[in-house]
Amino acid sequence: RGTVTDDGPRRDPSRLMLGDEQEAWFRAGFGRVPARWNIVPQQILMARLNTAADPEAPVVFSAGTWDGYQASQQRLFDTVSTALDRGTARNFVVLSGDVHCGYVSDVHADTLNPESPVIGAEFTSLSISSAQDFDPAANERRQVRRAVNPSLKWADLHCGYALCDLNPAELRVDFRVVDRVSVHDDPVFTAASFTVQDRVPGVTAA
């Protein structure tokens, strides 16, 4: 999948994550129905994530996520922002995966500005079994990503899954994990829990 820098081809507006037809479908449909919760399940990271391993290193992104298609990413966020501003949509939440790691992030209106207004939340599920047993040292190294991403609230390398509980007032997400995926009956426990409150964009620790 490789990486891309902040000033590379990821900003090319012709690079499409969804394609013209799907972009038009999302643009026409988001906010059209007055739903309390607008949940977008999809397969890869959507929120901005600088993957640099050092706070002093240049900003880099994964070419295989929405960050590799920044212009397309921004068009989608513009659609969401417009609907939120008009009051035709609320509670934008993204459910993602495919990175063998759990992430919890605020989603910001401007992909180039991590200090722009928060418009939603993203929960990236852990891997069920495709990673190794939990490695505390590797997990500690992964926390560098929190240092270089103000919007990133949690990062974890356990194996497990995300359990979502939705009601009119809030969405609650519990990350259920095991320490040893190599052991058939290793105990399952909750590593972290977060909520999104109705009409409050972004993530809150539960």
Side-chain angles (χ1 to χ4, degrees), residues 18-35:
L18 296 179
D20 290 330
E21 184 176 347
Q22 286 182 309
E23 277 198 18
W25 172 83
F26 186 87
R27 189 165 52 250
F30 188 82
R32 188 172 183 177
V33 176

Side-chain angles (χ1 to χ4, degrees), residues 37 84 90-94 104-108 116-123 151 153 169-173 194-206:
W37 295 93
L84 294 176
R90 67 207 239 205
N91 301 329
F92 173 56
V93 177
V94 183
V104 176
S105 299
D106 286 339
V107 177
H108 291 261
S116 61
V118 175
I119 60 172
E122 180 175 36
F123 298 95
S151 62
K153 307 305 179 184
E170 71 174 22
L171 168 68
R172 179 185 176 99
V173 180
F194 300 90
T195 65
V196 177
Q197 302 297 316
D198 182 29
R199 297 187 184 276
V200 182
V203 176
T204 301

